Amino acid sequence: MTAGTQLAQLTDQLRLTFGWALATVRATLPRAIRELGRGPDARLARLGPDNQLIPVGVRYRSWFGETSLGEGMAGAEPPELQLELPDSGQYRHVLKVSEGVARRGRAALELRLNEFSPLPVDQARFAFRQLAPPVGGRCEIEVAVIRAAHLQQAIEALPGSAVRWSVVGAVDAAGEPGFRFAAGSAGRRRRGIGRGPGLLLIIAACMMVCIAWADRFSREAETLELRRTELIGFARSLRDAELGIELAERAMQAGAPNVPLDRVVEALRELGGRAPEDLTIRTVTLEPPHSLVIEGPDPDTANATTLTRLELPLGDES
């Protein structure tokens, strides 16, 4: 890989990173701020019959990258001429590629040109765009292929006075191209606040904002995770309580004793006249059907483990 190829790939990565950061910041800003520094960015034209340029309008761009279409302004010449090719001459195909191929971009797709191009490789030129963020390590890439001869004709139709030019496809309502087949410049590039040092300042500001927001989102994620843990613990306690209630209901349905308290007190009151005088109470339990069972050591035996049992019926439940 040559130094020029590595520089081109690095430039593409920086452009994509900056575009993502700028779009993230721009989406949260009020419209009045998004359109600060709005000025003409490019003259838009289409290729008509006999390679004639048909003017479409002027694309305006703000300092924050907000684009829109409008009429040209007197005395303000856009620094770029953007020529849109007709869709009829483009062959488009959607590929599913790995993240590694998506990161390498054009260099990786050129190796697979014969897989998606209906034209011979030496007669084809292509451009691509990523349709959606990676999912499961795979990316969707849309590729547009055109004939090299048609692209050359479009370039030759451009006026020599254009400071910067580009040949594109799939232009949206705001004038942004989906595919960029070729680009170039003639003479010295014009510079504005959105380019050169001004662009570097915007990039630095956007990166700082993104880093700050990423830190804030990280703290919010930690708080949400803590809250999630607490809710999981609470849900488990509710589940355990519900299980305990269910077990109690099953026991009651199986005939477990359910005796009013006054019946138990009345049976204990009668115990003095019915139990042996030297009886030591060891356990008092309820057994169906509504009986109070009292057990203790048998006073008539020397063995302390021998128990005497006294059952007191509690009568019908009122």
Side-chain angles (χ1 to χ4, degrees):
M1 183 180 297
T2 64
T5 303
Q6 292 179 342
L7 181 59
Q9 291 184 5
L10 178 60
T11 302
D12 288 340
Q13 291 299 321
L14 290 176
R15 178 177 56 82
L16 293 174
T17 303
F18 171 64
W20 168 83
L22 195 59
T24 302
V25 175
R26 185 172 61 237
T28 63
L29 296 176
R31 183 177 183 84
I33 297 179
R34 295 201 309 265
E35 293 187 349
L36 285 176
R38 182 176 182 269
D41 178 64
R43 288 184 294 131
L44 274 59
R46 290 175 182 166
L47 193 62
D50 299 327
N51 289 338
Q52 296 296 318
L53 298 186
I54 303 175
V56 176
V58 175
R59 182 180 66 213
Y60 291 83
R61 188 183 301 275
S62 69
W63 294 343
F64 287 93
E66 186 81 0
T67 58
S68 59
L69 289 180
E71 299 295 332
M73 297 191 312
E77 181 184 353
E80 180 181 347
L81 173 61
Q82 178 176 289
L83 177 59
E84 180 184 6
L85 296 181
D87 293 343
S88 58
Q90 303 175 33
Y91 306 92
R92 296 178 183 174
H93 186 66
V94 176
L95 302 173
K96 288 188 176 181
V97 300
S98 64
E99 289 188 58
V101 171
R103 282 195 301 268
R104 291 194 298 272
R106 173 173 294 275
L109 292 175
E110 282 180 347
L111 299 177
R112 302 177 56 177
L113 182 58
N114 61 331
E115 298 179 14
F116 57 81
S117 174
L119 304 173
V121 174
D122 58 341
Q123 300 177 16
R125 298 294 182 269
F126 75 95
F128 67 96
R129 61 179 172 181
Q130 186 169 324
L131 296 180
V135 176
R138 306 289 292 177
C139 300
E140 283 193 352
I141 301 293
E142 184 178 17
V143 182
V145 181
I146 61 175
R147 292 185 179 275
H150 291 171
L151 177 59
Q152 186 60 35
Q153 290 175 2
I155 295 175
E156 292 175 353
L158 294 170
S161 59
V163 178
R164 288 192 325 216
W165 56 267
S166 59
V167 180
V168 301
V171 177
D172 62 17
E176 286 286 1
F179 303 103
R180 188 179 297 271
F181 297 105
S185 61
R188 184 177 179 181
R189 292 188 178 183
R190 299 180 60 180
R191 303 179 66 177
I193 191 168
R195 299 167 183 83
L199 179 60
L200 293 178
L201 291 176
I202 293 177
I203 293 176
C206 292
M207 290 300 183
M208 291 178 64
V209 172
C210 289
I211 292 173
W213 282 0
D215 182 67
R216 187 192 70 177
F217 292 150
S218 177
R219 291 196 301 269
E220 290 181 355
E222 292 176 358
T223 302
L224 291 175
E225 182 63 23
L226 180 60
R227 181 60 177 165
R228 174 177 172 273
T229 303
E230 293 176 352
L231 291 176
I232 290 176
F234 180 67
R236 288 176 177 172
S237 65
L238 290 178
R239 182 197 61 188
D240 295 341
E242 182 180 2
L243 181 59
I245 294 174
E246 182 180 353
L247 293 176
E249 291 178 348
R250 289 181 181 178
M252 292 175 62
Q253 294 173 0
N258 183 13
V259 182
L261 182 60
D262 57 345
R263 301 291 187 188
V264 178
V265 174
E266 182 181 355
L268 291 175
R269 187 181 299 116
E270 297 176 358
L271 179 62
R274 300 183 58 182
E277 296 180 358
D278 54 352
L279 174 63
T280 301
I281 297 176
R282 181 172 179 179
T283 60
V284 178
T285 58
L286 290 173
E287 293 184 4
H290 309 305
S291 297
L292 185 68
V293 179
I294 300 172
E295 293 182 338
D298 190 349
D300 298 333
T301 62
N303 188 355
T305 60
T306 304
L307 302 179
T308 181
R309 177 183 177 95
L310 177 62
E311 295 187 8
L312 300 178
L314 299 175
D316 295 334
E317 183 177 346
S318 58

